[in-house]
Amino acid sequence: MKKESGGDLNQPLVEMFRPCYKVWIERGSTDFGDGLYYLLMYVKEYGSISQAAREMGMSYRAAWGKIKKIEKNWGLKLVETQVGGDAGGGAKLTEAGAELLESFGHFRQKIEEAVERVFRESFAK
Amino acid sequence: MKKESGGDLNQPLVEMFRPCYKVWIERGSTDFGDGLYYLLMYVKEYGSISQAAREMGMSYRAAWGKIKKIEKNWGLKLVETQVGGDAGGGAKLTEAGAELLESFGHFRQKIEEAVERVFRESFAK
């Protein structure tokens, strides 16, 4: 590549940089992004908010608060808790929670793929 | 839609939410995102860092510092300044700066389109 005063690329841009992205969805002033996405994913996987919180490195109180806040602001129940039983209760996603988890997971995955593809298209000459 | 305890969607998800995104590129610990993108765009448009800074609601010093920091960290000159002349000097993008602006603009635009499209695909049932 020719050397030019004040502007030189020794490497193609596509090799110089790493593309990054973040996606989330908003309703009113409350958003749902990776944090809640993983939290709901773990609730679904473990059937327990406390186990989900541990996986996220959060306190139970913080995880519970995060879920309650969005449920209240959106008027939409995402997690159902059962009290008692053999395991001392548990939690599972509501239909709405499961649908949100699945839709957001699809959205996130497809955008991740698009970011890689579009980055290469945009920065390769 | 059927009413169910603990989980009800009165509206399709696609109508409840607004998709949001942010993209940037990284090299080492220095990133290039919308702030620098618009700053370079205005430098190109106005041929002046001070005018570009005004458009961004930034001080000249802040705009200049932002450009210098990335140039230093990346070892890549993005803006060339001319001293003197009728207009008391001016600034223009280097070849590398122009290429970065164009590539990032394309990347950003295509991801914005993908976000809208993929959101509808993911959240519409």
Side-chain angles (χ1 to χ4, degrees), chain B residues 57-71:
Chain B
M58 298 170 80
S59 67
Y60 174 82
R61 180 184 289 267
W64 179 246
K66 218 168 150 68
I67 293 167
K68 283 290 130 184
K69 182 185 163 201
I70 203 160
E71 286 186 337

Side-chain angles (χ1 to χ4, degrees), chain B residues 30-88:
Chain B
T30 307
D31 60 7
F32 178 100
D34 281 1
L36 269 158
Y37 171 70
Y38 282 110
L39 191 56
L40 294 191
M41 203 179 72
Y42 288 128
V43 168
K44 183 181 177 185
E45 188 172 347
Y46 295 109
S48 153
I49 293 172
S50 51
Q51 182 62 30
R54 264 195 296 279
E55 293 290 330
M56 299 284 292
M58 298 170 80
S59 67
Y60 174 82
R61 180 184 289 267
W64 179 246
K66 218 168 150 68
I67 293 167
K68 283 290 130 184
K69 182 185 163 201
I70 203 160
E71 286 186 337
K72 179 171 173 258
N73 291 356
W74 287 355
L76 193 64
K77 200 151 175 57
L78 301 176
V79 174
E80 227 164 4
T81 48
Q82 292 110 28
V83 180
D86 277 339

Side-chain angles (χ1 to χ4, degrees), chain B residues 2 10 15 20 25 38 62 73 78 86-87 99 112-113 122:
Chain B
K2 78 183 160 74
N10 294 309
E15 288 171 22
C20 305
I25 56 174
Y38 282 110
N73 291 356
L78 301 176
D86 277 339
E99 193 182 330
E112 182 166 315
E113 291 164 17
S122 305

